Amino acid sequence: MVLSSSKSIRKFSQQFIAVESSDGSRFASVNLDAGLASQLITIKVLERLRLGFGDLYTEENVAISGIHTHAGPGGYLQYMLYSVTSLGFVQQSFDAVVNAVEQSIVQAHNNLKPGDVNNAGINRSPSAYLLNLPDKRARYTTNVNTQMTLPKFIDTMSGKGIGAFNWFPTHGTSMNRDTLLISGDNKGAAMRFFEDWFASTVDGKSVNGSDTRTRY
């Protein structure tokens, strides 16, 4: 059976920017609801970003990919073979894709939020830490690591989040030696709190309903 519809499905440009520090290295990843990206799109997007951000975003830290849909707009690629079905290059398609990618990165840049986890742990021996050489301690603003890595997993069929891996530099010794209870300690508590929070959201999405995708 063949299904048809008079309405098109809206396509998106989805973006993510990971930043080491406010002035440190960064990586921008953009995923298009399109057949694929191209060198020409990357060149044009970087030209526009350079006007607003200088050399902050370059070919070395910006990746643009496509989901390989065969039902997207055509004519936006610079290669003749890929433009045959659209009877040549289509400026309108190209501009729509480039605008979406540019807006995606600008939106993500303007919505960057700190990823530090402050006040979540203490140094087990501040006096021992102070025995490090001054130039070593000068590299850090605190005596504990406040950085956290958290990749998440999405069910690609339903679009729902299904879980996450987390590496947080804290020792599981919140329960002292006098406790008689079996416990997963702070890591186990964090996992339980996260799962309870996840179960209370709508399809694993924040209840505020925010949408950071850029439509085109």
Side-chain angles (χ1 to χ4, degrees), residues 122-132 137 143-144:
I122 62 173
N123 192 298
R124 297 176 65 192
S125 181
S127 58
Y129 178 80
L130 292 175
L131 296 178
N132 287 301
R137 288 186 278 113
N143 62 4
V144 293

Side-chain angles (χ1 to χ4, degrees), residues 155-168:
D155 181 346
T156 55
M157 298 296 292
S158 65
K160 298 179 180 179
I162 57 177
F165 272 149
N166 170 261
W167 289 269
F168 181 58

Side-chain angles (χ1 to χ4, degrees), residues 175-183:
M175 306 298 288
N176 61 37
R177 64 183 181 182
D178 296 323
T179 182
L180 300 178
L181 301 176
I182 294 175
S183 169

Side-chain angles (χ1 to χ4, degrees), residues 191-210:
M191 180 175 62
R192 176 61 184 272
F193 294 152
F194 178 81
E195 290 182 348
D196 288 348
W197 168 83
F198 189 85
S200 67
T201 60
V202 180
D203 294 334
K205 297 179 181 179
S206 177
V207 293
N208 63 18
S210 60

